[in-house]
Amino acid sequence: MTLLEVSRMQAFYGRVQVLEDISLSIPDGGAVGILGANGAGKTTTLRAISGAVRSGGDIRFDGKSLRGLRPDQVAARGIAHVPEGRGTFSDLTVRENLRVGAYRRKDAKQVHEDIDYCLDLFPQLQNRVRSNGSALSGGEQQMLAIGRAIMARPRLMLLDEASLGLAPSTAKTVYKAIGRLRQDSGIAMVVVEQNANLAFTLVDSATVLEAGRNVLTGSTAELKGMDEIRRAYLGG
Ligand code: ATP
């Protein structure tokens, strides 16, 4: 079953159109990567799906249109956005940040279990549960941002540049954990990533954006075999 179907999506900042024609299709439980140079429209694509920027075209989630919904309404449908820059609360502790992610939920016992799951997925956060967000390293903040999204029990997670600014070994750790999350939970994922080598460890397929349009879409295996992808994204 198709979980998310984006077709002919456009997006605007004020009067400036930054997305011209974007299509994306994600099966339930699937993971799709979005690649592209700076300014190609990757972040805006995620923001348009989550209702943070004005968009045109069609966005359907679980068969229903997301047209005109506010970000909180999109989140309530089951889409969790882990934004670029992470967006964790620096004056709340790790545990409090995780609880914020679950604010819509009434199942207190499972919320507790999910906090334990997040701390098991990201053991680095275990010694930090009482630390303020501001005391965390960049890697720990990224882990916390993903944890907060997990706490909403979404069906789809939008991940924006989860490796940005992290040391290579930390970025690998984060992607390994996301892979495990995917296996454990079956959450579908849209993964925006500059580091295509990392993205390809996680996604089944990917699309390349240029100036607000898809220019190439294929399975991970197909894309890895293409010279232009190797040259532009895989360093060789
Ligand atoms: P990056 O990797 O640099 O984040 P991206 O592919 O995610 O790149 P977007 O951030 O989606 O690209 O930006 C797409 C275009 O929209 C760019 O030309 C950018 O300058 C423009 N843009 C982004 N945010 C705004 C904004 N708030 N107001 C006006 N224009 C914006």
Side-chain angles (χ1 to χ4, degrees):
M1 194 204 84
T2 303
L3 184 64
L4 179 77
E5 185 81 54
V6 171
S7 35
R8 301 177 315 280
M9 185 169 74
Q10 309 167 317
F12 308 82
Y13 288 110
R15 284 206 201 137
V16 182
Q17 182 167 2
V18 295
L19 300 185
E20 301 282 341
D21 185 353
I22 301 283
S23 297
L24 272 183
S25 181
I26 303 171
D28 208 357
V32 174
I34 301 183
L35 308 176
N38 284 339
K42 305 181 296 297
T43 293
T44 305
T45 296
L46 298 190
R47 299 190 74 218
I49 294 168
S50 62
V53 297
R54 190 162 65 87
S55 66
D58 201 29
I59 310 172
R60 300 187 84 76
F61 181 68
D62 202 17
K64 296 192 199 85
S65 174
L66 298 183
R67 167 156 296 284
L69 297 189
R70 295 186 313 261
D72 59 304
Q73 294 171 316
V74 172
R77 294 273 181 100
I79 298 180
H81 191 164
V82 183
E84 193 176 7
R86 293 139 198 169
T88 52
F89 295 107
S90 56
D91 51 348
L92 297 184
T93 67
V94 165
R95 189 176 285 281
E96 286 164 347
N97 266 284
L98 292 173
R99 286 194 165 283
V100 167
Y103 80 95
R104 259 187 215 91
R105 295 173 54 185
K106 308 233 152 40
D107 50 344
K109 187 160 165 268
Q110 282 91 332
V111 167
H112 237 89
E113 287 170 10
D114 287 355
I115 289 178
D116 288 345
Y117 176 81
C118 290
L119 297 177
D120 186 57
L121 188 65
F122 297 117
Q124 264 179 276
L125 294 180
Q126 277 170 23
N127 304 324
R128 301 293 228 157
V129 279
R130 280 181 213 89
S131 306
N132 271 4
S134 57
L136 303 181
S137 69
E140 289 163 348
Q141 283 177 35
Q142 186 62 60
M143 294 170 191
L144 181 56
I146 295 166
R148 195 177 64 179
I150 292 171
M151 294 305 299
R153 289 235 172 161
R155 289 181 69 192
L156 174 69
M157 202 177 269
L158 310 176
L159 287 156
D160 200 351
E161 303 266 12
S163 75
L164 194 72
L166 305 186
S169 62
T170 309
K172 241 191 203 157
T173 304
V174 167
Y175 267 81
K176 260 205 173 138
I178 300 169
R180 188 187 135 197
L181 168 67
R182 196 186 159 198
Q183 275 195 327
D184 290 347
S185 66
I187 296 173
M189 298 177 175
V190 183
V191 180
V192 164
E193 186 51 73
Q194 292 272 350
N195 184 334
N197 279 308
L198 270 182
F200 284 160
T201 63
L202 181 67
V203 301
D204 314 314
S205 66
T207 186
V208 179
L209 306 190
E210 234 175 72
R213 296 173 188 274
N214 308 82
V215 290
L216 197 59
T217 300
S219 71
T220 298
E222 281 165 353
L223 293 170
K224 275 179 167 172
M226 290 180 184
D227 282 344
E228 64 262 46
I229 295 289
R230 285 220 199 98
R231 247 181 286 120
Y233 299 102
L234 300 175

